[in-house]
Amino acid sequence: MPTDAAPRDAGRGSLSDVATSDAALRRFLQGLPGVDAVGLEARAAALGTRSIKTTAKAYALDLAISMIDLTTLEGADTPGKVRSLCTKGAHPDPGDRSAPRVAAICVYPDMAATARQALTELGADGINVASVATAFPSGRASMAVKLADTREAVAAGADEIDMVIDRGAFLAGRYLQVFEEIREVKAACGAAHLKVIFENGELATYDNIRRASWLAMLAGADFIKTSTGKVAVNATPPNTLLMLEAVRDFRAATGQQVGVKPAGGIRTAKDAFKYLVMVNETLGDDWLSPHWFRFGASSLLNDLLMQRQKLATGRYSGPDYVTVD
Amino acid sequence: MSTPEARTSPARGARLSVLKTYKLYVGGTFPRSESGRVYEVTDAKGQWLANAPRASRKDARDAVVAARKAFGGWSGATAYNRGQILYRVAEMLEGRREQFAAEVAAAEGLSKAKAQARTDAAIDRWVWYAGWSDKVAQVVGGGNPVAGPFFNLSTPEPTGVVAVLAPQNASLLGLVSVLAPVIVTGNTAVVVAAQDAPLPALSLAEVLATSDLPGGVVNVLSGGTAELARPLAAHQDVNAIDLAGADPEPATELERAAADNLKRVLRPAPEGVDWAAEPGLERMTAFLETKTVWHPIGA
């Protein structure tokens, strides 16, 4: 695949001043080459046909489990549910302690402290607490509220913040406003990692997803994330592949590595493998770790565990042998 | 199965024969085998009839997933509703009586009259089992006399997902006789059709698909019985297995595999079964669990 998304005039030097004004940023983002939708979808479909078996499958299953941001983002979340989710994240398969831990537990800000405490009590401090913030999932709140939301989550012990961009501002073309918001939230995060959610399903076109990717990376995102999981279209192989290409091109242009997190709609081990193949083929080994690639998922873990049990015993497993969350 | 010549209309000249592609029935749809394999099905004299899909263990796995998904709705439907749907299956079978008689004749090497009689018996068997849907609970359940101030009630409940190895020697009547008792009580089924005579079973799937039977309640696989039986017997999400179509020796092995998650097992009868005889309740009660409730008498 040619490196087609790095703008021809976007050398190392010119990237530093693309965000000096609204006009400059708009010129840069709208100057990004258009996305070949047919080619992108064909490429994503082709990468989804690989057959992963035996030892490679065992490796991929464990890698995928270790990349999961185990998520509960419901209005009905209770402290008890968050605690049991933490227990599951620390010991995904109670019948097989060799199963790896998940990467993070992803909750609403008011549950971050509960999650932090539960993980400490479990002796699983290696698992991060990720908190959504900035008026997730709509992002429709004033800047002061979004920043307060972020600071509160960090103070409650969140190691990672999943922010949503203001899609209204983005779609209206007010790119600099979105850019400044990301910068301010990043500053409010302090030591916490910042993941920026685009909500691809609301961005309407592939070109917009490419623009949003570059915008977020220029503004200092540590991770770019496909979606909230709250709308009809969430992570799809093509829109994730497009973001993977954007982080590849961004590293080529600036030397900075940014992570990617597809979220929503990834439910089976087979789906997860498709994403891992895309990461390997587009970005290579550098991104094949929980530091640089995550799955935002809840039901995916159970399917990975059932596949793991099948591999260990030779028998097909069933939902009776994993926890109900 | 008529030959191309028989279908040729002399007035219009030779007509190209339209051959049927037999497919599996999984989750209410008709997929080919995931493996892409087929095998040749011949009539009793060795003449080629059609290619049938040769299902793999992954097709079996998919079928179990579909059956599990359908279980909640089917077991939760009222007994009356299940009976109506099963009766509808019999009505649809009646409408395709000629086709099934021809398929049974080819598969089992029977005369036209005998095949017709067996097909009629199979349709009558559906009707017979359909009638049991809202009566079986009264026969095998009921109030228990207890020495205390309680109502004590036992009711039969479906076991869950049942794997069924259809009999090898009775392609339609045998199949109906093992399938209908499983689903009439609210179980969902994964059926492995008779290995050498799968065509009536695959055609029955088309009848089931047009009879308001929810997708996934019955899933029909064709292929090697031994190949498909092993993963089904070991599958942790299958609750029971009917070994009617298994040979005696592998049946023992399958029972052992089934023991791992305490599946209910219905063993094949060593002396063989006369499928035409009145079946009794055994095949229904084999896949039922008894739930007993104690309720205080409020006096």
Side-chain angles (χ1 to χ4, degrees):
Chain A
M1 289 291 283
T3 308
D4 62 349
R8 267 165 226 97
D9 60 345
R12 254 163 203 279
S14 63
L15 275 185
S16 56
D17 51 20
V18 293
T20 47
S21 72
D22 209 0
L25 188 59
R26 183 175 303 123
R27 198 176 317 120
F28 172 80
L29 292 177
Q30 297 196 337
L32 289 167
V35 178
D36 168 9
V38 174
L40 179 73
E41 282 165 13
R43 173 84 177 149
L47 290 176
T49 60
R50 300 280 172 85
S51 180
I52 313 281
K53 299 290 178 210
T54 62
T55 51
K57 184 172 183 179
Y59 169 77
L61 285 171
D62 281 5
L63 182 63
I65 293 173
S66 72
M67 285 175 165
I68 287 181
D69 281 5
L70 196 58
T71 303
T72 181
L73 295 170
E74 304 293 336
D77 285 347
T78 59
K81 186 176 177 196
V82 170
R83 274 194 293 272
S84 68
L85 199 72
C86 291
T87 311
K88 182 165 188 178
H91 304 293
D93 190 344
D96 179 1
R97 289 293 167 116
S98 70
R101 291 176 167 180
V102 301
I105 304 293
C106 185
V107 292
Y108 271 118
D110 63 330
M111 289 292 172
T114 310
R116 181 78 276 160
Q117 194 197 345
L119 289 171
T120 307
E121 283 166 9
L122 285 162
D125 282 317
I127 300 178
N128 285 343
V129 172
S131 169
V132 297
T134 72
F136 180 95
S138 66
R140 300 251 70 85
S142 74
M143 200 53 212
V145 171
K146 289 182 183 178
L147 291 174
D149 201 13
T150 309
R151 287 195 197 99
E152 229 170 78
V154 174
D159 308 288
E160 302 170 4
I161 297 295
D162 289 27
M163 73 168 285
V164 288
I165 63 166
D166 182 344
R167 277 88 75 190
F170 181 89
L171 291 170
R174 299 199 303 274
Y175 297 132
L176 195 63
Q177 182 189 335
V178 179
F179 182 88
E180 291 299 340
E181 276 191 15
I182 297 173
R183 278 244 295 242
E184 285 177 44
V185 173
K186 170 76 182 164
C189 283
H193 269 226
L194 177 65
K195 305 197 200 99
V196 179
I197 306 172
F198 301 152
E199 198 66 293
N200 286 344
E202 293 183 351
L203 293 188
T205 67
Y206 286 132
D207 287 349
N208 275 342
I209 295 172
R210 175 172 281 171
R211 287 177 195 136
S213 302
W214 279 84
L215 175 67
M217 291 187 289
L218 287 166
D222 297 303
F223 254 85
I224 54 177
K225 175 172 166 183
T226 59
S227 38
T228 60
K230 299 286 182 198
V231 295
V233 179
N234 291 299
T236 64
N239 68 35
T240 307
L241 177 60
L242 181 57
M243 288 163 65
L244 293 172
E245 288 174 354
V247 302
R248 175 195 64 191
D249 297 338
F250 188 74
R251 187 169 78 162
T254 66
Q256 287 166 16
Q257 189 164 344
V258 174
V260 179
K261 175 178 171 186
I266 306 169
R267 295 204 175 82
T268 64
K270 214 171 185 175
D271 287 344
F273 289 180
K274 289 178 187 174
Y275 286 92
L276 292 180
V277 167
M278 282 200 304
V279 172
N280 192 47
E281 295 295 313
T282 312
L283 303 171
D285 274 351
D286 291 356
W287 269 268
L288 272 183
S289 92
H291 280 292
W292 300 109
F293 192 77
R294 295 280 181 83
F295 292 108
S298 40
S299 55
L300 170 64
L301 181 55
N302 277 351
D303 195 60
L304 289 166
L305 292 174
M306 286 194 280
Q307 295 292 328
R308 212 172 173 276
Q309 291 166 0
K310 160 73 172 70
L311 219 54
T313 62
R315 312 176 297 227
Y316 288 116
S317 187
D320 289 352
Y321 301 86
V322 289
T323 54
V324 179
D325 351 83
Chain B
M1 295 275 99
S2 48
T3 61
E5 297 88 81
R7 284 193 247 148
T8 304
S9 144
R12 292 175 49 210
R15 182 170 172 257
L16 289 176
S17 54
V18 180
L19 296 177
K20 179 165 158 187
T21 307
Y22 285 90
K23 295 191 189 173
L24 307 175
Y25 182 53
V26 175
T29 59
F30 292 91
R32 291 179 163 83
S33 168
E34 156 283 333
S35 63
R37 303 176 304 176
V38 293
Y39 68 112
E40 293 194 351
V41 178
T42 59
D43 66 14
K45 291 190 201 104
Q47 296 281 316
W48 180 82
L49 286 174
N51 285 347
R54 193 169 147 212
S56 68
R57 64 186 165 86
K58 292 196 177 175
D59 293 310
R61 174 200 62 187
D62 293 347
V64 172
V65 171
R68 173 60 61 195
K69 207 171 155 201
F71 179 70
W74 183 243
S75 60
T78 61
Y80 175 74
N81 184 228
R82 283 200 301 269
Q84 291 286 299
I85 290 173
L86 257 61
Y87 191 75
R88 177 91 181 150
V89 173
E91 289 173 8
M92 294 289 119
L93 270 172
E94 182 72 21
R96 292 169 68 162
R97 205 163 147 254
E98 303 299 323
Q99 180 201 347
F100 278 99
E103 282 185 345
V104 168
E108 300 177 30
L110 298 174
S111 71
K112 209 174 161 199
K114 268 195 175 161
Q116 194 73 67
R118 290 227 183 152
T119 306
D120 291 349
I123 298 171
D124 295 348
R125 187 63 42 88
W126 268 115
V127 175
W128 192 81
Y129 274 117
W132 273 109
S133 68
D134 53 3
K135 298 172 189 70
V136 70
Q138 296 147 47
V139 177
V140 302
N144 308 313
V146 289
F150 297 98
F151 289 122
N152 186 276
L153 304 170
S154 290
T155 46
E157 305 224 316
T159 297
V161 175
V162 181
V164 178
L165 309 182
Q168 304 292 344
N169 57 356
S171 57
L172 184 64
L173 179 57
L175 173 74
V176 169
S177 302
V178 296
L179 176 60
V182 167
I183 62 170
V184 68
T185 54
N187 296 297
T188 54
V190 176
V191 186
V192 180
Q195 183 165 346
D196 295 328
L199 302 187
L202 297 173
S203 292
L204 178 67
E206 294 159 18
V207 168
L208 299 175
T210 50
S211 306
D212 294 339
L213 190 74
V217 171
V218 174
N219 303 277
V220 182
L221 304 174
S222 60
T225 300
E227 181 191 356
L228 294 168
R230 231 168 282 129
L232 285 172
H235 200 305
Q236 301 290 286
D237 202 27
V238 171
N239 302 103
I241 186 164
D242 181 347
L243 298 174
D247 292 331
E249 200 178 317
T252 315
E253 220 176 282
L254 293 172
E255 262 190 77
R256 204 169 293 134
D260 254 348
N261 71 333
L262 307 179
K263 279 184 194 66
R264 290 197 177 276
V265 176
L266 189 58
R267 298 184 181 89
E271 69 284 4
V273 181
D274 174 16
W275 296 109
E278 177 97 357
L281 301 187
E282 289 77 25
R283 291 199 166 268
M284 282 186 285
T285 54
F287 305 113
L288 289 173
E289 312 291 332
T290 300
K291 179 174 82 177
T292 298
V293 180
W294 295 67
H295 192 283
I297 296 172

